[in-house]
Amino acid sequence: MSEKQRSSTELKKMLRKFNSKDLKPQEYKAINAWYDALDQDMAEANPHRELKAKLRITQVILEEPLATPSDESSKHWFLNPGLKYAATLVLIGIAAYFSLKPSSLKKSSGYKLLVSTGDTRKNVRLSDGSVIMLNSGSSLSIAEDFNLRDRRIKITGEGFFKIAKDTTRPFIIRSEDLNTTVLGTSFNISSYPDLEELKIAVSSGKVRVASIREGEKETLLSAGMVKNQVLIYNNKSKAMEIKTGEASLYNSWTNNELYIDNASVEDIAHLLSRYYHIKTNIEPGLGRSDRYTIKLGDESIDAATQILSQLTKYRFSHQQNQIYIMKNN
């Protein structure tokens, strides 16, 4: 058997091994050591690393729509075993082909878009058992080497995370300028680009948060946030504070409620637009200095605009399927 054929055979075994749910940390190390032992002439265009990344992606269970927050069926979604096996066979075939043509593969891009929610909410179960509920207007990207040395993802928007415990592979979430690192816990991240503040609220366990702004070293913001602690990070000024707050308020959107936390009228407009999936028009010149904390339930748009008109110094109205926010005369 030639060297290339032996390499292809080893790769097939490795791919099947990666598809096993019982893979142990020491087995990951052994496989990575096998990579490191490959000839140096494969270093510039190593197809095996790309294939390893692709296999990790196939082991991610893709998004499903959330029917209702109380729908128990949304909590248990598993990849069809037949489809999973078929995907593995396809990758093994690709592996055998590209083991002979290493220069045909491009270098890994690092992250790949997993799901974008649009105007819906979606539930995502990852290969490690972690579950993420994504709010509307959100997107989630996953590292191509997810669940190898660590578990890295990126979020834009808002998500409630229930992270499967794994002390050997930390779970790291990138959101704007921040990295949130956990081993096993539950928490909410609100990271919409159009809002003034990024917020992380811990429901259980412990969370580490660090700033990772471009061109700067990582700055530790909290070594261990615990239950009912909320980190608030200003996207413009980069100022940060940690306060005590009821964490369930920050993930109340999972129960079809809207929690407005110390928000300007401009941020309220963005929140209403996403919550009701409707265009919101704000009168020019309205200040950002006024701040409001208000909790809405599942009120209709008309009821919500009436409540906001009573609790703020602005006039909210619902006309022609749009919301208008103006100064009170």
Side-chain angles (χ1 to χ4, degrees):
M1 181 183 293
S2 70
E3 185 65 28
K4 288 183 178 178
Q5 287 174 327
R6 281 196 295 271
S7 178
S8 179
T9 300
E10 290 295 325
L11 181 57
K12 290 178 183 180
K13 291 179 180 179
M14 179 199 69
L15 287 171
R16 292 191 181 101
K17 197 72 172 172
F18 265 99
N19 201 40
S20 169
K21 292 182 179 179
D22 299 323
L23 200 62
K24 298 178 181 179
Q26 56 265 35
E27 292 175 309
Y28 276 112
K29 292 179 180 179
I31 292 170
N32 285 325
W34 184 85
Y35 281 127
D36 295 335
L38 291 173
D39 292 339
Q40 281 299 112
D41 60 355
M42 297 288 287
E44 288 300 321
N46 189 337
H48 310 299
R49 293 189 183 277
E50 176 76 6
L51 289 164
K52 178 174 66 171
K54 288 182 178 179
L55 183 59
R56 282 293 119 192
I57 296 298
T58 67
Q59 289 181 308
V60 175
I61 297 178
L62 297 179
E63 76 279 3
E64 295 286 350
L66 285 176
T68 62
S70 60
D71 185 3
E72 290 295 320
S73 66
S74 68
K75 298 179 182 178
H76 306 286
W77 297 336
F78 300 93
L79 188 63
N80 182 295
L83 294 176
K84 190 173 184 180
Y85 179 66
T88 304
L89 289 180
V90 170
L91 286 174
I92 290 172
I94 295 172
Y97 177 76
F98 281 113
S99 64
L100 303 177
K101 292 181 175 289
S103 61
S104 301
L105 285 175
K106 296 179 180 179
K107 291 184 178 180
S108 170
S109 60
Y111 286 84
K112 288 191 176 180
L113 179 67
L114 182 62
V115 55
S116 182
T117 62
D119 288 340
T120 62
R121 298 173 186 168
K122 294 183 180 179
N123 217 5
V124 181
R125 180 181 287 274
L126 303 181
S127 61
D128 67 333
S130 298
V131 177
I132 305 168
M133 298 178 67
L134 287 175
N135 204 348
S136 59
S138 303
S139 64
L140 188 72
S141 298
I142 187 167
E144 292 180 330
D145 60 353
F146 181 85
N147 212 20
L148 294 180
R149 293 178 178 82
D150 53 33
R151 299 171 286 170
R152 290 180 180 268
I153 63 172
K154 289 182 180 180
I155 185 173
T156 299
E158 185 166 29
F160 181 69
F161 297 77
K162 294 182 179 179
I163 303 304
K165 189 171 184 178
D166 186 341
T167 57
T168 64
R169 287 181 286 272
F171 200 105
I172 304 170
I173 304 102
R174 175 73 182 265
S175 54
E176 297 296 330
D177 291 342
L178 303 187
N179 262 358
T180 301
T181 304
V182 298
L183 296 177
T185 185
S186 61
F187 54 96
N188 194 83
I189 294 181
S190 176
S191 179
Y192 287 107
D194 56 8
L195 297 183
E196 187 176 356
E197 295 176 334
L198 184 158
K199 296 174 183 177
I200 301 171
V202 181
S203 295
S204 65
K206 187 177 289 188
V207 171
R208 177 186 185 274
V209 183
S211 171
I212 47 169
R213 280 181 280 167
E214 194 71 28
E216 296 182 13
K217 292 183 178 179
E218 181 180 270
T219 302
L220 184 65
L221 302 182
S222 174
M225 290 172 57
V226 295
K227 182 177 180 180
N228 290 331
Q229 284 193 319
V230 182
L231 183 145
I232 300 172
Y233 180 81
N234 191 291
N235 288 317
K236 291 184 178 180
S237 69
K238 312 304 179 185
M240 184 276 297
E241 68 168 317
I242 296 177
K243 67 178 184 179
T244 300
E246 184 59 46
S248 61
L249 291 173
Y250 293 87
N251 60 61
S252 59
W253 60 270
T254 63
N255 295 315
N256 286 328
E257 297 174 338
L258 176 61
Y259 180 54
I260 299 170
D261 176 43
N262 193 39
S264 67
V265 65
E266 185 176 324
D267 281 350
I268 292 174
H270 293 307
L271 292 168
L272 291 174
S273 183
R274 258 189 298 272
Y275 186 75
Y276 289 107
H277 313 303
I278 190 173
K279 184 177 180 180
T280 302
N281 302 280
I282 184 169
E283 182 180 339
L286 298 188
R288 296 186 63 92
S289 58
D290 299 312
R291 300 281 171 165
Y292 299 96
T293 299
I294 301 167
K295 183 180 179 182
L296 298 174
D298 57 355
E299 289 88 357
S300 66
I301 299 177
D302 290 328
T305 54
Q306 290 179 15
I307 292 171
L308 290 168
S309 295
Q310 293 171 358
L311 297 180
T312 70
K313 69 178 188 180
Y314 302 102
R315 181 159 57 92
F316 293 74
S317 65
H318 177 214
Q319 303 172 32
Q320 300 176 335
N321 201 33
Q322 296 186 41
I323 294 176
Y324 293 86
I325 307 175
M326 298 161 283
K327 292 179 182 177
N328 261 327
N329 296 329

